[in-house]
Structure formats: structure tokens, C-alpha cells
Amino acid sequence: MTQVLFYLILGVCLWALGLYGLLRLKESIRRIISVNIMGSGVFMVMVALAARSEDPDPVMHALVVTGLVVAISATAFALRLSVADVQEDDQ
Amino acid sequence: MTAALIALLLPLFTALCLLLLRSRSGVLVIVTSLLTLLAAAWSLYDVTVNGPQWLELGDWPPPLAIRFQLQPITALLLVFSAMIHLLVAVYAAGSQHSKTRYTDFWPLSCLLQGSLNALWLSGDLFNWYVTLELLGLAAVALVALSGRKAYGPALNYLLLSLGASLVYLLGVALAYGRYGVLDISLLGAMTEADTTTRIAWWLMTLGLMLKAALWPFHLWLPRAHASAPTAVSALLSALVVKGPLFILWRLWSEGAPTELAVEAGPVLAVAGIAALILGGWSALRTPWLKSLVAYSTVAQLGYALMALGLLMYWQLPALDAALWLFVLAHGLAKASMFLAAGELQASLGSKRVSALRGTTETMPVAMFAFAVAGGSLIGLPPSGGFLAKWLLLEPMFETVNHWPWVVGILLGTLISAGYVFRVVALAFDRADPVPPDFSPDRFAHWLALLPALVVWGLALISEPLIHWLTGVPL
Amino acid sequence: MSLHEWMLDGTLGLLVLILAVAVLHVRSLYISIVLFIAFGLLLALIWARLGAPDLALAEAAIGAGLTGTLLLAAYGRVSERRRKAEEPLDWHAGPALLLSLIIAVILMRAVWPLPDLDSALVPAVADQMAQSGVGHPVTAVLLSFRAWDTLLELLVLLLAFMAVRQLLPSLPRQPEAWPLLQAWSRLLAPLSVLIGGYLLWRGSADPGGAFQAGALLAAGAILLRLTGLLPALGWHHFWIRALILGGCMVFLAIGVAGYWLGTGFLGYADGWAGPLILLIEVFATLSIATTLTLLVIGETREVRE
Amino acid sequence: MIILATVLLLTVLFGLWRVLRGPTAADRLLAIQLFGTTGAAFLLVLAMLVDIRALRDAALVIALLAAVLSAALVQYLRRQEKSN
């Protein structure tokens, strides 16, 4: 087993763990955290794939940077929405 | 290609200008939508005359660059989305019941159109991921325009959409890991039917099915579409769910190896039939008017999914035409239905189906629009819906042992007839009509009728349209 | 690979898994958030270990830092009742776990052959590096080869901000100034501007770039806003709107100009690539910094006006 | 040097214990600070080990953002006390 394979498997496990959280948890902030864990799993697969060649693959690194920005944008909106939604419940 | 690029960038520029100037001018959006429509029509003409075209962004050589591809169906979809967007913009600016006139609806809908056009033109797996996220965020933001009561469904929609994107993205990562390119046409030449490819394609498919609300992943759709403002519901049902469907189609018809497509086809087709029957059943049962229309979207997407599945299973390119005719016919009919339903429920002051009693007397035009659009959904000849269904049925009549699919379509047709007639029958019950709360908006009713008439008008140009879609020169 | 290297990778992997499991299973929401911040930090270490300094920077700034602040801000707005609500282990916990396990095993099967394959894009990037106008491959991919992705990603950020604008006001909470914290942030904010500027400047030749720099600037601005040292950055100010939209507008304008001048949509004319990319990066950094600041800290009133 | 990096990682485990046990929010805050310091130190060691100089920048960013985060945390915790 090589280092790349180790991190590929780790990424896959994180992804599945995030999926488990998304399926099982009810509280919205926790579900948002689960989605982020799932995202980290995919990013880990991508970064591990980038580490296959002697010089790491710049395309995958760039795609993960893009993915990170997309993830934080969506997370920010989801958190605001969940807070607004929760306040509706309280009234 | 220049025309297609204009159709892509014009909505984006409009959105940015509206935001910079803090303007909520519907007129500006209508004018630019019209220009976008013209540009899209020009690109359609261009592609018919000069054939499919490519544009390498930044002029980089192919495996590196993201490529735009303009093929006949892309151009047709550009025209289709510009048309629906223009119609909805006119409605949102003109109707007295439109709740979106003084909101950020304008820049958001322009961004929605821009991201959709980006999706149609692209052919790059990762770029599609970004456009899907754009589309999802714009859609959720538009749903949230309806205020606090929509936040729950909006959040649910957003979380599912984010999860689905990550399922899709993992599939993209695996495909890249296996083949080392992201362009769908290049992938098509390389793919082999091995385990990694199979799993990658299924991951992408599952993510996209969730995004397109294809059965059994449709549960988020009715709540989200029903709680959105009327103009937004029309956009979501007519356009947004078609984006992932387009990617799904290109993924399987262009990118996948034949063995895999043949293997996966029946599964998708059966899911399509299940969507037809179960979605239709829910539409028959629901007491809410907008939920009925939303569930009918779930059911109608079943036809498209079935066409896609059978297209893969039998490797019949002729079914491409059936698939895209369904998409066009459904988009037009659904825009009409949602606008009519929104107007009806706003004038009646009730969201229940039962409030429609006697509306043929009080609001005949809106009800007529609903019924005409419903006719196309059922597939009454000579509507666009009928045309699509006919194309789908044609290969089935050729071989005897294809009868189970025919039975599925028949059942779906019966159920859709059931929920359309449920509404129409109530509307003709003039004994004790529910009076509208205030004077109905005639202009909006006629506007709702327009796309329904266009669907039926499709039948007039059926022959050249089918020839053109199937790529057979006249 | 040596035993020592295995020890390092094994520890990293084990820690990250433990953290992920703990984040999902801990009962208190607050502890879950704190653990998630630690999780983000550990990911940055893993990216560094896998030879991705750009990502280590981005994850440290965006993944751990800003996501953490966002979560804490959300936690600060959630009601006491919601915070205390415990997560019952309901009936579908079993099936969900089983399903995830099966999926994980299937996916392991899928990734098994991947380490031995390679990518066609790695040599392609190396071939075209000389024409890209920048010296760092990741920056070249982001701003030359796949500039369209990057432009759309700026639009995603803008859309998230516009989406937040739609939400109705949440409970008003005025930040209170606290002398010690104010003194602290007077020290930290200039530092973040300095390091942000440094990362932006480095981006063309070395790891770093608009996103990392923007995130750092945002961190500084957030700190100042939190302690009441910075006035409200309202949407009604023209310059705020210009800052937020500037990144997309400049990027789009340069892209269209390229098409007009015959170098292709989003292409740069010979010899102009370097300066144009720097121009785009400067505007993108400012735009990212402003948008992220308002996304994290902007009160709804301030965002909507 | 690898062993040094591994030992640094192991200190995270102790911090983890503090996060889980608490007992107060301040203990958890300090644990985040510890993580930040450890992370920065780890990156510095790794920068020497694999000879990527840019990792030192990442260490700088982590050190800075750990400080920003704890400042944000303090502010939110204070608000919470006020609102109680």
C-alpha cells in the first residue's frame, strides 16, 4: 500500500462519514458540518490523486482551491438560513 | 459562437449592473432578455447553417482548456431558456399579484439564466460542478424570496443540493483519477467498462438525479417549488431541473462506454416509470394546488428519465429527439401551469385545490391556460407533449416484447389525465362558485395562456422539428 | 516508504478520523464546532504533507479560520433551547451507518487501481507554462488555463452574498467593545493585511494568491468589526458595492476584451498576460475580502440596505 | 525529524482530551490555541523535512488565524453571557 492509496482510502472514509452524518443528523448546523466533512473527503481524494506524479498535479490543486471557495460560500449561506429558520421556530 | 457567447454574458452583465446601481428595474431585464433571446436565436441559425462549433476558452489546446460546445440541442436550449425567462420577467413586472417586483428577483433571475447558459455550453466535468453550484444557490435564494415560511424548505433544498454536488464531485474525482482528463468528448474516446469507471459514472448519476429531483430522489422538490413565489416556481420547474438532466444526458450518451450505458439504461427507465406512477399518485392526492403542479413535475420528469434510459439501453439516437421534446414541451406547459395556478390562488385567496370550484365562470382565461397546458402534459394530440410521447412509443411498436414499457407509459398517461381532470372538473362545477377576493388580473391570465398555446403550436412544425432534432437533413 | 513516514501518515490519518467521528457524535453543539475547527486545521497539515502548500494556505485561512468564525457566529445567534437540544439516536441510525459502510467499501474498490495511473494534464500544463504569463503552475491553472472556473467561482461567492441579502433581519445584537480585545485586534488586523498583501504578491511565482490573500484580509476586517473598531460596511455605500462586484466585472471585461482583440474569450494578448493577471488578482482579492467579511459578520440590516 | 513531527501531532491528542472534558468554554478556547501553535510548529518542521519553503507561510497564516479565531470566540462568548 502506498501513501497515495492510504490517503485515497482515508478520503473515501471521510466522505462516507459525512454522508452518514447528513443522513442521520437532524439539527441543521450539524448537518451543515456533515456536508463540510463530506466535502473534505472529496478534496482529500483529489489532493491524493494530485500527489501521484513526481511534481504534484497543479490542476487538481487549483480545482480544490475553487472547491474550497465554493464550499465556504455555500456554508455561509446555509448557516444564515438555518439561523433565520430557527428563529422562526422560536416565535 | 459569438452569438452564443453574447447570450451567455448578457444576463451576467445585466445582473452585475443592476446590483451596482441598486436598480430593481424590470424593464431593463425584459429588454436584455429580449436581446438574449435574439442572440440565442441567431446562434441557433448559425449552428443550423454552419454545423456544430467549438470554442477553446483562452485559446489553450484541448486537454488543458475548458471548451464550449455549440451543437443544435445546445442552441435550442439557449433559445428555450431565454424564452421562458423573458415570459417570466414580463409576468413578474406586469402582474398585480407578483410579489417579486420590488425585490432582488431581477438580478437573481438574471444570474440564474446566465449560469444555466453556462451549463448548456460547457462540456467539462468540473466546470459543470461549479455551474451546478451556481444554479443551486440561485434557486435557493429565489425560493427564500417568499419570506420566513419558505426558509425551512429552502434550507432543506440547499443541504440536499450541496450533498448531491459532493456525490457528483466524488464521481468527477474518480473519473479524473482514472483517465486524467475532464473534457467529456475526450473522455468519450477513452472510457472502458471497468469497475472504477462504473462507480464513477454511478456517483455522478446519483448526484445529478438528486439535483434534478428524479425519482426516488424527488422528495425535496414539491415543498421547495410550492413555497416559492409564483414567478420563481415557474422558473424552477421549467428550467432549473433540466440543467442536471442535460449533464446526465451528455454523460451517458457521449462520455460512457457502450456496455455501461446498456447496463444502466433499464435501471433509469424503470425509475422513470416509477416516477410517472408515484409522482402522479401524489399529485392526485394532494389538497394544495401548487403542490399538485409540483408533483406533476416529478411525474413528467419520469418521461424524460425513461427516454434517457431507453436511449441508453437500445442505443437509439432517435430517442434524443423524444427526450428533448419532452423537456421543451414540459417546460412550456409547466411555466403556463404555474403562472395560472399562482394567479388563481392569489385571486381566490386560498391555496387549496377545492377553492377552484367554478373558476371557469369567474376566471375563464386562467383556467383555460391550465387546461390547455394540462392537455399537453397528458399528451393529447396534436400538442408538443403528444409529439414527444409518439416519438418515445415509436420504437416500442416495432418489437412485440417491448410491451411492458408501453404499459408504463399508458399508466402514466392515465394518472396525469386523472390529476388534470380533477382540477378541470372542479372548475366546471359552476353550481356554487368560490368568488375571487378581488378583480382578477386579465393580463397575467393571457400571459399564462401564451406558452400553453406555443406547446400546441409545436405540432404545426412537428415534421421539420423532428427531422432537425434527429439530425436527418430535410 | 520508511517506517517513520508511515508513523507520521498513520498518526495524521488516525487523528483526522477520530476528530471527524467526534464532531458527528459529540452531544454538545459547541464542542462539535470546536472539534470541527481542529479538524480543519488538521486538514491543512495533511495538505502540507501531500505537497500542496497552496491548499495548506487556503485551508488554514478559509477552511479552518473563516468556517470556524462562521460557525461560531451562527452559534451565537441560535437560541438557548436549540443549543441544548440533544440528538436522539433514532431508528434510522443503524441503516444509515450500514449504508455508509457499504458505500465506503465500494468506493475503496473504486480507488484501488488509481495510484498507478497518471494524468494527461500534468505534462500539458508543463508544456504551456511558458506562455501562461506567471511562474507558479497553480496560479497559471486558476487564472489562465481554467480562468472560466475561477470567474464562475467569484460569481458563486457573489451569489451566496446575494442569497444572504434575501433573508429577513435576525435578532439585533450590538457588539460591545472590550478594551483588551480591542488592543489585541489593533495588533492583529494590520498583521493580517500585511500577510495578505504578501501572499497576493507572492502568488504569481510561489504558492499563494487571490483567495488566500482575500481570506486573510477578511479575517482582519472581521476582527475589527467584531470589536467595533470598523464602521458598518453597508450595501448602500457605492464603494462597497463597487468592491464586491469589482472582481467579477474586471474579470469579465478583460475576458470579453480578449475575445474582441482575437486572443480568445478569457485569453490574454502576448506579453500582457502577467500584468492583466495581476490586475484581476488585485480586484478579486478586494472583492473576496469584502464579500467574505459581510458574509461572516454583516448584520442583516447592514447587508440589505 | 519525522519523529519530531509525529510527537507534535500527539500533543493534539492531549488537547482533544481537554476539548472533550472541558469543563469550561475557556478550557476549550485554550485547546484551540494549543492546536494552532502545534499546527504552526508542525508546518515549520515539515517545511524543513520536504523542503517546500512556502509551508512557512502557511505556518504564519495558521498562527495568525488561531489568534483571530480565539478573539472571535471570546467576543461571541461574551455576548452570550450578556444575553443570559
Side-chain angles (χ1 to χ4, degrees), chain A residues 32-45:
Chain A
I32 295 168
I33 292 180
S34 305
V35 170
N36 271 298
I37 290 181
M38 219 173 143
S40 309
V42 184
F43 297 151
M44 192 174 289
V45 169

Side-chain angles (χ1 to χ4, degrees), chain B residues 73-252:
Chain B
I73 286 178
T74 321
L76 194 63
L77 286 169
L78 284 175
V79 173
F80 165 68
S81 45
M83 224 157 73
I84 302 270
H85 188 256
L86 177 63
L87 178 88
V88 171
V90 173
Y91 170 83
S95 160
Q96 30 172 291
H97 299 134
S98 150
K99 297 196 179 84
T100 44
R101 206 178 310 168
Y102 301 109
T103 61
D104 264 353
F105 169 78
W106 301 108
L108 279 172
S109 75
C110 285
L111 279 179
L112 184 83
Q113 197 196 2
S115 30
L116 213 79
N117 289 349
L119 190 151
W120 305 137
L121 284 170
S122 179
D124 182 280
L125 292 182
F126 186 81
N127 190 247
W128 271 332
Y129 162 75
V130 185
T131 58
L132 281 174
E133 287 290 22
L134 268 173
L135 207 58
L137 277 176
V140 178
L142 283 165
V143 171
L145 280 176
S146 311
R148 288 225 159 99
K149 66 180 189 321
Y151 289 174
L155 182 62
N156 194 33
Y157 180 12
L158 180 62
L159 280 174
L160 275 174
S161 159
L162 291 178
S165 301
L166 292 173
V167 177
Y168 172 79
L169 188 60
L170 185 62
V172 173
L174 292 183
Y176 180 79
R178 174 69 182 80
Y179 299 104
V181 290
L182 289 163
D183 189 283
I184 189 81
S185 317
L186 295 176
L187 270 173
M190 298 163 81
T191 43
E192 294 160 28
D194 58 13
T195 316
T196 307
T197 314
R198 183 173 289 125
I199 295 172
W201 250 253
W202 271 109
L203 279 172
M204 291 190 268
T205 305
L206 290 180
L208 292 169
M209 281 175 82
L210 241 167
K211 288 231 165 207
L214 298 172
W215 190 89
F217 305 110
H218 63 280
L219 292 169
W220 59 266
L221 181 137
R223 264 184 8 123
H225 284 199
S227 61
T230 298
V232 175
S233 310
L235 281 181
L236 292 186
S237 259
L239 295 178
V240 173
V241 289
K242 309 294 162 40
L245 190 68
F246 175 76
I247 302 180
L248 207 54
W249 171 69
R250 291 206 49 192
L251 213 53
W252 283 105

Side-chain angles (χ1 to χ4, degrees), chain C residues 228-249:
Chain C
L229 290 172
L230 198 69
L233 306 166
W235 177 250
H236 57 281
H237 295 304
F238 179 79
W239 61 276
I240 288 285
R241 295 202 299 278
L243 273 181
I244 288 180
L245 300 167
C248 294
M249 285 191 144

Side-chain angles (χ1 to χ4, degrees), chain C residues 103-230:
Chain C
I103 291 176
V105 172
I106 294 175
L107 291 176
M108 280 177 206
R109 176 76 191 77
V111 296
W112 201 263
L114 297 186
D116 305 322
L117 303 166
D118 55 1
S119 161
L121 296 191
V122 180
V125 170
D127 274 355
Q128 301 290 331
M129 264 315 284
Q131 279 89 51
S132 73
V134 282
H136 183 54
V138 178
T139 310
V141 174
L142 276 173
L143 286 148
S144 286
F145 307 142
R146 295 182 70 91
W148 179 236
D149 269 351
T150 311
L151 175 53
L152 287 185
E153 161 199 356
L154 286 178
L155 279 176
V156 170
L157 194 62
L158 176 68
L159 245 168
F161 172 72
M162 285 175 58
V164 168
R165 269 169 58 72
Q166 307 316 311
L167 305 177
L168 297 170
S170 50
L171 295 177
R173 280 174 190 277
Q174 296 302 321
E176 309 128 26
W178 186 32
L180 193 57
L181 202 58
Q182 282 191 342
W184 184 222
S185 53
R186 282 209 177 92
L187 197 66
L188 281 180
L191 260 180
S192 75
V193 174
L194 193 67
I195 300 179
Y198 165 71
L199 285 182
L200 175 62
W201 171 71
R202 290 256 302 193
S204 60
D206 278 301
F211 300 103
Q212 293 90 340
L216 269 181
L217 288 185
I222 288 165
L223 201 58
L224 290 180
R225 275 294 285 140
L226 260 179
T227 48
L229 290 172
L230 198 69

Side-chain angles (χ1 to χ4, degrees), chain D residues 55-67:
Chain D
L55 289 183
R56 291 182 204 156
D57 298 346
L60 197 62
V61 171
I62 282 193
L64 185 70
L65 276 176

